Amino acid sequence: MATLDDPMREGPIRDRAVMLRAPPALGMLLMLVVLLLAAWCTGARAELAVIVNPQQSVSRMHAGQVAQYFLGGSAALVPIQQAEGSAIWSEFHRKVLDKEPAQVQAIWARLTFTGKARAPREFRSSAEVKKAVSENVNAIGYIDRSELDPSVKAVTILP
C-alpha cells in the first residue's frame, strides 16, 4: 500500500500534500512580510501643516478653504505644492482635496486651457515649498509639521 510519502505515488492527493509542506524559513518569511505590511499600513502618518507667508492676515483655515486654492476655486492665494507622487503630496490629496490625482489633473487642465487659472507650482521638498512661501506674501503651501519655523505661518494642522 502506498502512502503520501511514497515517491512512486502520483496524482492530486500527493501534489496537495507536497504543497502543504513549506519549509519553515518560508513560513517565517511570509509572517515577517505580513507583519511589516500591517505595521506600514497602520503606522503613524505625518502631520501636515498648511502654510502661508507670515505677513498674510489670515490666521486659520479649514480643509475646505485650503482645497479651494489647490483646486482653482479661489485666486486670492497662489498654491505651491509638493512634487507629484511624493508621500506628502499623496497625503495632502487624501486629507484635503479628497480627490484622485487624475481628477485634480483634469480640473487644472480645464482651468489652464480656458485661461482661468495657472496650475500650482511644484517643488521637490518641504524646504523648497517653505522657501517659496516665505518669499511670496500671497503663497499657500503645505509641508510636514516637523519642518515648521518662523519663516512661515501655519494656518491649518492636519493629523
Side-chain angles (χ1 to χ4, degrees), residues 119-141:
R121 288 187 58 203
E122 192 174 291
F123 291 90
R124 292 180 291 166
S125 68
S126 288
E128 289 180 7
V129 169
K130 188 168 49 173
K131 184 175 186 292
V133 170
S134 71
E135 293 173 351
N136 183 343
V137 176
N138 296 316
I140 183 170

mmCIF file of all heavy atoms in Angstrom, residues 119-141:
data_model
loop_
_atom_site.group_PDB
_atom_site.id
_atom_site.type_symbol
_atom_site.label_atom_id
_atom_site.label_comp_id
_atom_site.label_asym_id
_atom_site.label_seq_id
_atom_site.Cartn_x
_atom_site.Cartn_y
_atom_site.Cartn_z
ATOM 1 N N ALA A 119 -1.850 76.344 -13.014
ATOM 2 C CA ALA A 119 -1.660 75.197 -12.116
ATOM 3 C C ALA A 119 -0.649 75.553 -11.032
ATOM 4 O O ALA A 119 0.238 76.388 -11.238
ATOM 5 C CB ALA A 119 -1.189 73.992 -12.916
ATOM 6 N N PRO A 120 -0.765 74.926 -9.861
ATOM 7 C CA PRO A 120 0.185 75.208 -8.774
ATOM 8 C C PRO A 120 1.622 74.915 -9.181
ATOM 9 O O PRO A 120 1.884 73.956 -9.901
ATOM 10 C CB PRO A 120 -0.248 74.236 -7.667
ATOM 11 C CG PRO A 120 -1.656 73.885 -7.981
ATOM 12 C CD PRO A 120 -1.778 73.949 -9.470
ATOM 13 N N ARG A 121 2.517 75.751 -8.717
ATOM 14 C CA ARG A 121 3.945 75.468 -8.913
ATOM 15 C C ARG A 121 4.305 74.288 -8.033
ATOM 16 O O ARG A 121 3.792 74.140 -6.928
ATOM 17 C CB ARG A 121 4.781 76.687 -8.536
ATOM 18 C CG ARG A 121 4.624 77.801 -9.562
ATOM 19 C CD ARG A 121 5.559 78.961 -9.327
ATOM 20 N NE ARG A 121 6.951 78.527 -9.346
ATOM 21 C CZ ARG A 121 7.930 79.195 -8.751
ATOM 22 N NH1 ARG A 121 7.674 80.313 -8.113
ATOM 23 N NH2 ARG A 121 9.170 78.765 -8.797
ATOM 24 N N GLU A 122 5.211 73.491 -8.523
ATOM 25 C CA GLU A 122 5.584 72.262 -7.832
ATOM 26 C C GLU A 122 7.043 72.323 -7.408
ATOM 27 O O GLU A 122 7.896 72.725 -8.185
ATOM 28 C CB GLU A 122 5.360 71.097 -8.798
ATOM 29 C CG GLU A 122 5.427 69.742 -8.171
ATOM 30 C CD GLU A 122 5.045 68.678 -9.181
ATOM 31 O OE1 GLU A 122 3.864 68.616 -9.570
ATOM 32 O OE2 GLU A 122 5.944 67.920 -9.573
ATOM 33 N N PHE A 123 7.305 71.890 -6.171
ATOM 34 C CA PHE A 123 8.662 71.867 -5.644
ATOM 35 C C PHE A 123 8.983 70.480 -5.118
ATOM 36 O O PHE A 123 8.103 69.737 -4.719
ATOM 37 C CB PHE A 123 8.830 72.923 -4.541
ATOM 38 C CG PHE A 123 8.773 74.328 -5.064
ATOM 39 C CD1 PHE A 123 7.566 75.004 -5.149
ATOM 40 C CD2 PHE A 123 9.924 74.971 -5.491
ATOM 41 C CE1 PHE A 123 7.504 76.294 -5.645
ATOM 42 C CE2 PHE A 123 9.877 76.254 -5.996
ATOM 43 C CZ PHE A 123 8.664 76.920 -6.072
ATOM 44 N N ARG A 124 10.269 70.144 -5.108
ATOM 45 C CA ARG A 124 10.712 68.793 -4.776
ATOM 46 C C ARG A 124 10.733 68.474 -3.291
ATOM 47 O O ARG A 124 10.760 67.307 -2.919
ATOM 48 C CB ARG A 124 12.099 68.533 -5.349
ATOM 49 C CG ARG A 124 12.099 68.462 -6.861
ATOM 50 C CD ARG A 124 13.472 68.207 -7.382
ATOM 51 N NE ARG A 124 14.271 69.416 -7.132
ATOM 52 C CZ ARG A 124 15.569 69.503 -7.202
ATOM 53 N NH1 ARG A 124 16.272 68.454 -7.508
ATOM 54 N NH2 ARG A 124 16.189 70.637 -6.976
ATOM 55 N N SER A 125 10.739 69.464 -2.425
ATOM 56 C CA SER A 125 10.862 69.185 -0.989
ATOM 57 C C SER A 125 10.092 70.203 -0.166
ATOM 58 O O SER A 125 9.755 71.287 -0.649
ATOM 59 C CB SER A 125 12.334 69.214 -0.581
ATOM 60 O OG SER A 125 12.836 70.532 -0.672
ATOM 61 N N SER A 126 9.886 69.851 1.094
ATOM 62 C CA SER A 126 9.236 70.788 2.013
ATOM 63 C C SER A 126 10.088 72.032 2.204
ATOM 64 O O SER A 126 9.561 73.133 2.342
ATOM 65 C CB SER A 126 8.965 70.117 3.362
ATOM 66 O OG SER A 126 7.915 69.188 3.252
ATOM 67 N N ALA A 127 11.395 71.881 2.199
ATOM 68 C CA ALA A 127 12.288 73.040 2.357
ATOM 69 C C ALA A 127 12.092 74.024 1.209
ATOM 70 O O ALA A 127 12.035 75.240 1.429
ATOM 71 C CB ALA A 127 13.741 72.577 2.432
ATOM 72 N N GLU A 128 11.948 73.500 -0.014
ATOM 73 C CA GLU A 128 11.739 74.377 -1.175
ATOM 74 C C GLU A 128 10.363 75.037 -1.118
ATOM 75 O O GLU A 128 10.221 76.212 -1.465
ATOM 76 C CB GLU A 128 11.891 73.584 -2.467
ATOM 77 C CG GLU A 128 13.317 73.177 -2.772
ATOM 78 C CD GLU A 128 13.431 72.397 -4.075
ATOM 79 O OE1 GLU A 128 12.445 72.268 -4.821
ATOM 80 O OE2 GLU A 128 14.544 71.899 -4.345
ATOM 81 N N VAL A 129 9.336 74.291 -0.697
ATOM 82 C CA VAL A 129 7.991 74.858 -0.567
ATOM 83 C C VAL A 129 8.012 75.963 0.480
ATOM 84 O O VAL A 129 7.481 77.061 0.261
ATOM 85 C CB VAL A 129 6.945 73.772 -0.206
ATOM 86 C CG1 VAL A 129 5.616 74.391 0.191
ATOM 87 C CG2 VAL A 129 6.762 72.801 -1.359
ATOM 88 N N LYS A 130 8.650 75.690 1.600
ATOM 89 C CA LYS A 130 8.729 76.679 2.680
ATOM 90 C C LYS A 130 9.437 77.945 2.205
ATOM 91 O O LYS A 130 8.980 79.060 2.479
ATOM 92 C CB LYS A 130 9.455 76.052 3.873
ATOM 93 C CG LYS A 130 9.441 76.878 5.108
ATOM 94 C CD LYS A 130 9.908 76.132 6.345
ATOM 95 C CE LYS A 130 11.202 75.403 6.132
ATOM 96 N NZ LYS A 130 11.745 74.821 7.378
ATOM 97 N N LYS A 131 10.519 77.797 1.469
ATOM 98 C CA LYS A 131 11.258 78.953 0.945
ATOM 99 C C LYS A 131 10.380 79.762 -0.016
ATOM 100 O O LYS A 131 10.322 80.995 0.071
ATOM 101 C CB LYS A 131 12.527 78.482 0.242
ATOM 102 C CG LYS A 131 13.420 79.597 -0.254
ATOM 103 C CD LYS A 131 14.711 79.010 -0.831
ATOM 104 C CE LYS A 131 15.721 80.050 -1.206
ATOM 105 N NZ LYS A 131 15.386 80.896 -2.307
ATOM 106 N N ALA A 132 9.672 79.069 -0.924
ATOM 107 C CA ALA A 132 8.810 79.762 -1.895
ATOM 108 C C ALA A 132 7.687 80.519 -1.197
ATOM 109 O O ALA A 132 7.370 81.657 -1.563
ATOM 110 C CB ALA A 132 8.234 78.752 -2.894
ATOM 111 N N VAL A 133 7.088 79.916 -0.171
ATOM 112 C CA VAL A 133 6.003 80.575 0.564
ATOM 113 C C VAL A 133 6.547 81.760 1.363
ATOM 114 O O VAL A 133 5.918 82.824 1.412
ATOM 115 C CB VAL A 133 5.258 79.572 1.477
ATOM 116 C CG1 VAL A 133 4.303 80.283 2.420
ATOM 117 C CG2 VAL A 133 4.509 78.546 0.627
ATOM 118 N N SER A 134 7.716 81.610 1.941
ATOM 119 C CA SER A 134 8.281 82.713 2.732
ATOM 120 C C SER A 134 8.662 83.908 1.860
ATOM 121 O O SER A 134 8.714 85.033 2.339
ATOM 122 C CB SER A 134 9.498 82.231 3.533
ATOM 123 O OG SER A 134 10.591 81.979 2.679
ATOM 124 N N GLU A 135 8.911 83.661 0.573
ATOM 125 C CA GLU A 135 9.310 84.734 -0.346
ATOM 126 C C GLU A 135 8.133 85.365 -1.090
ATOM 127 O O GLU A 135 8.316 86.344 -1.799
ATOM 128 C CB GLU A 135 10.321 84.196 -1.362
ATOM 129 C CG GLU A 135 11.650 83.826 -0.724
ATOM 130 C CD GLU A 135 12.614 83.133 -1.684
ATOM 131 O OE1 GLU A 135 12.201 82.785 -2.821
ATOM 132 O OE2 GLU A 135 13.773 82.925 -1.296
ATOM 133 N N ASN A 136 6.921 84.800 -0.952
ATOM 134 C CA ASN A 136 5.758 85.316 -1.666
ATOM 135 C C ASN A 136 4.624 85.546 -0.672
ATOM 136 O O ASN A 136 4.072 84.594 -0.126
ATOM 137 C CB ASN A 136 5.323 84.327 -2.754
ATOM 138 C CG ASN A 136 4.160 84.822 -3.583
ATOM 139 O OD1 ASN A 136 3.447 85.752 -3.214
ATOM 140 N ND2 ASN A 136 3.939 84.187 -4.715
ATOM 141 N N VAL A 137 4.260 86.799 -0.470
ATOM 142 C CA VAL A 137 3.222 87.150 0.503
ATOM 143 C C VAL A 137 1.892 86.471 0.182
ATOM 144 O O VAL A 137 1.109 86.173 1.088
ATOM 145 C CB VAL A 137 3.041 88.692 0.557
ATOM 146 C CG1 VAL A 137 1.903 89.077 1.479
ATOM 147 C CG2 VAL A 137 4.333 89.346 0.997
ATOM 148 N N ASN A 138 1.623 86.187 -1.076
ATOM 149 C CA ASN A 138 0.335 85.623 -1.480
ATOM 150 C C ASN A 138 0.377 84.112 -1.729
ATOM 151 O O ASN A 138 -0.512 83.568 -2.375
ATOM 152 C CB ASN A 138 -0.172 86.325 -2.734
ATOM 153 C CG ASN A 138 -0.457 87.781 -2.457
ATOM 154 O OD1 ASN A 138 -1.046 88.126 -1.448
ATOM 155 N ND2 ASN A 138 -0.004 88.645 -3.340
ATOM 156 N N ALA A 139 1.376 83.421 -1.215
ATOM 157 C CA ALA A 139 1.505 81.984 -1.461
ATOM 158 C C ALA A 139 0.888 81.161 -0.335
ATOM 159 O O ALA A 139 0.814 81.605 0.814
ATOM 160 C CB ALA A 139 2.968 81.608 -1.624
ATOM 161 N N ILE A 140 0.438 79.961 -0.690
ATOM 162 C CA ILE A 140 -0.053 78.974 0.267
ATOM 163 C C ILE A 140 0.550 77.634 -0.147
ATOM 164 O O ILE A 140 0.633 77.325 -1.339
ATOM 165 C CB ILE A 140 -1.597 78.916 0.314
ATOM 166 C CG1 ILE A 140 -2.070 77.915 1.383
ATOM 167 C CG2 ILE A 140 -2.194 78.605 -1.054
ATOM 168 C CD1 ILE A 140 -3.576 77.966 1.657
ATOM 169 N N GLY A 141 1.012 76.883 0.830
ATOM 170 C CA GLY A 141 1.619 75.587 0.549
ATOM 171 C C GLY A 141 1.385 74.639 1.701
ATOM 172 O O GLY A 141 0.648 74.949 2.636
#
